[in-house]
Each structure stands twice: as C-alpha cells, then as structure tokens.
Amino acid sequence: MLDQVFNSPFNTSVETLFQLIVLVAMEAVLTADNAIALAGLAQTLQQPELERRALNIGLGLAYVFRMLLVVGTAWVLQFWQFELAGALYLLWLAGRYFTTKPPDSSQLVQARSHWQIIPLMVLTDLAFSLDSVTTALAISQELWLIMLGGTIGVVLLRFLAELFIQWLQEFIYLEDAGYWAVALVGMRLLLRVVNPEWVPPEWAMISLIAVLFIWGFSRRTSEVPVELQSSSVDKMSYELVE
C-alpha cells in the first residue's frame, strides 16, 4: 500500500491525469451543497472575522478527518453504521434548519462562539465525505490520487463557503435550496444503507441539485420591495401576487 502511495505519482499516465480531472470536477460539483451548509453555519456568527476564523479552523480539522477517512475507507465501509450516522446527521441538519427557521429572515439566531460552530462544520464535512469518497473510489483505486482530489476539494470548499456567505444575503431562496440539497445527500446515504439498489445514479443526484441551485439563484433580495424584505410571509404573498 505504501509503495502504491509513494510510487504512483511518478508513474503518471494519460489515464491517471484523466482520472484526476474527473475527480476534481466531481469534487467541484459535490462541494456546492456542502459549502452552503458550512456557509449557513458560519453565518450565524454574524461577524466576518469570526466567520473566517471558523471556516479556517473548521475546514483545517475537517481536512485531517477527511484524509483519515480516505486512508481508512476500506475499513470504514465494512460498517454500515458509519453511513447511517452520516445520513441521519445530514437529515437532522436539514430538519433543524427548516423547523427552527424564524418567520422573519432578519432575526437570524446568533451563535455564542465560533467554537460552537466548528464541531458542526467538521461533522458536516465528514458526513458529505462519506458520499464523495465512495464515489471517488468508483473512479480510481489510487490512494494518492483520491487524497489529491480530496485536498483540492477542501480548498474549493473554503473559497466557495465564503462566497456563499455573501450570496446568502443576496439571493432569497439560496439557503433553502442548499438545505434541500443537504437533505437529498442524506437520503442518498440512507438508501445506500437500506438497499443499495434503490440509490439513484450520480447523474440524477447532480441534476436534482443543479435544479435546486438554479431555483436558489432565481431571485435577488433587491428584486423584492424594501418594505417586504423583512418578512418571509410577505415575500410569499408578493410572489403570488406577481
């Protein structure tokens, strides 16, 4: 195994480079819903400096756990309980968002400390990693290649999460779309535990998530009259009237 890890980078081929491109593309696609979940968690700090600190520390720790997951994937996949725990956590995360979401979008619940958010960030990335690492193994069996793809994915995640924090203020439906995507990933993991034959193909999941994000970016806050921007109920009434 160690020979494979250390020797493979020096024996790169066209096929290896193609696999790396596919892995990076896959990470870029799968990172969007992860990024918006992390952005939503960081946003509760309501202070840019604390948000950046939480993202830096949280994703630094998440990277360590993600690499440990990659190295121990063969062992982890023997236990369906890990995937069940990841599925339940993602479904809980989405359920918590929709059930505790205040009717007034301006009344965002503020976290007391960035240390309150960092563990949730690590758990969120780890739950998403269960799905992405399994998908990566279907593309390549090269450990170093999967680790490189995962490293690029974490770097993308860091920059995307900060962008999403800004976009969450600008687009009305984006956070809802992101958490529906989180729920979809959780359901996919749950189906894989219950019956792998029921798991929808990757292209179907990507298509559904793409549709959700198209909806999420469909309306800016500036398009809603100022007097209606504070209330989600008023926004809905405005949509119906329009």
Side-chain angles (χ1 to χ4, degrees):
M1 172 91 50
L2 289 177
D3 290 339
Q4 181 185 24
V5 173
F6 290 110
N7 292 334
S8 293
F10 300 101
N11 297 319
T12 54
S13 62
V14 173
E15 181 182 358
T16 302
L17 291 175
F18 177 74
Q19 288 177 336
L20 179 59
I21 292 171
V22 172
L23 283 171
V24 171
M26 181 202 72
E27 286 288 348
V29 171
L30 297 179
T31 291
D33 45 8
N34 191 355
I36 197 170
L38 297 184
L41 291 171
Q43 190 188 28
T44 60
L45 293 167
Q46 298 186 27
Q47 295 183 41
E49 183 181 349
L50 289 180
E51 290 169 358
R52 285 192 294 271
R53 187 182 304 170
L55 286 173
N56 289 335
I57 298 174
L59 286 177
L61 292 172
Y63 174 74
V64 174
F65 282 103
R66 186 185 288 210
M67 292 302 103
L68 289 174
L69 177 63
V70 171
V71 173
T73 296
W75 178 78
V76 170
L77 292 181
Q78 294 176 6
F79 301 94
W80 57 266
Q81 291 89 344
F82 284 103
E83 287 190 314
L84 178 61
L88 294 178
Y89 173 75
L90 290 178
L91 291 172
W92 170 81
L93 195 67
R96 188 190 69 154
Y97 167 76
F98 287 112
T99 55
T100 62
K101 180 181 177 183
D104 188 338
S105 59
S106 65
Q107 297 176 352
L108 184 67
V109 178
Q110 184 172 4
R112 293 188 298 272
S113 165
H114 61 283
W115 293 112
Q116 181 184 359
I117 298 302
I118 287 170
L120 293 178
M121 287 185 171
V122 175
L123 286 174
T124 300
D125 183 73
L126 195 57
F128 274 98
S129 296
L130 286 170
D131 194 42
S132 63
V133 169
T134 305
T135 305
L137 282 172
I139 297 172
S140 173
Q141 296 296 313
E142 300 283 357
L143 183 60
W144 72 271
L145 197 60
I146 296 173
M147 293 182 75
L148 179 57
T151 301
I152 294 172
V154 170
V155 173
L156 286 172
L157 186 57
R158 172 62 183 84
F159 289 105
L160 273 179
E162 194 156 6
L163 276 175
F164 271 116
I165 289 175
Q166 300 172 19
W167 289 337
L168 288 175
Q169 302 293 329
E170 187 176 352
F171 295 93
I172 298 173
Y173 307 127
L174 184 57
E175 194 166 13
D176 285 356
Y179 276 99
W180 278 117
V182 170
L184 280 177
V185 175
M187 283 300 301
R188 186 172 188 271
L189 279 174
L190 187 60
L191 287 175
R192 203 157 66 199
V193 172
V194 175
N195 189 339
E197 294 182 359
W198 294 349
V199 178
E202 196 69 36
W203 64 265
M205 283 293 297
I206 292 174
S207 299
L208 282 172
I209 291 173
V211 169
L212 281 171
F213 276 92
I214 289 171
W215 170 65
F217 284 105
S218 65
R219 183 171 290 277
R220 296 175 183 269
T221 305
S222 58
E223 295 175 8
V224 177
V226 175
E227 62 273 15
L228 300 182
Q229 287 183 12
S230 62
S231 170
S232 59
V233 175
D234 288 339
K235 286 179 191 175
M236 187 180 297
S237 299
Y238 175 72
E239 288 290 327
L240 292 174
V241 171
E242 189 186 46

